[in-house]
Amino acid sequence: RLSLAEQVEQALREEIISNRLQPNQRIDVAHYASLWSISPTPVRDAIKSLEAAGFVTVSPRRGVNVAPLNQETLREIYEVRIAIECTAIRMACAHVPQA
């Protein structure tokens, strides 16, 4: 079970990976908090995690922007997603009945 901040992080990460949020585009914390009917705190917590992972940049007085993605970053994201998805499939298959 994921915390609200983790759910927001996943949602924002998917927005970035799917290119719905463009590189260098500003992320308005208040907008997403309002859109998802939550307080700004989980959005800010998610932003901190995304910053640590290199998905966003946070600048004082300038706000939060989607980090520019270069070819190397995209390759790393792809490799991580493949590893995670393959592991999830392997784990799920272990619980599927034989019938």
Side-chain angles (χ1 to χ4, degrees), residues 1 4 15 17 20 28 32 43 59 73 80 83 85 98:
R1 203 166 149 94
L4 188 54
E15 292 283 310
I17 290 172
R20 287 188 294 268
D28 185 355
Y32 280 100
V43 181
S59 304
T73 304
V80 168
E85 289 172 10
Q98 292 296 325

Side-chain angles (χ1 to χ4, degrees), residues 12 20-32 47 56-57 59 61-67:
L12 287 174
R20 287 188 294 268
L21 286 173
Q22 302 286 314
N24 299 313
Q25 181 176 346
R26 189 172 190 285
I27 298 175
D28 185 355
V29 172
H31 166 74
Y32 280 100
I47 294 292
V56 300
T57 57
S59 304
R61 295 183 295 279
R62 299 189 80 202
V64 180
N65 292 344
V66 176

Side-chain angles (χ1 to χ4, degrees), residues 41-88:
T41 302
V43 181
R44 280 192 223 106
D45 292 343
I47 294 292
K48 287 178 189 174
S49 295
L50 291 170
E51 180 183 28
F55 284 92
V56 300
T57 57
V58 179
S59 304
R61 295 183 295 279
R62 299 189 80 202
V64 180
N65 292 344
V66 176
L69 298 176
N70 58 34
Q71 190 69 25
E72 178 65 19
T73 304
L74 290 174
R75 187 183 60 73
E76 289 174 11
I77 290 170
Y78 179 77
E79 288 176 2
V80 168
R81 283 191 73 169
I82 291 296
I84 290 170
E85 289 172 10
C86 289
T87 300

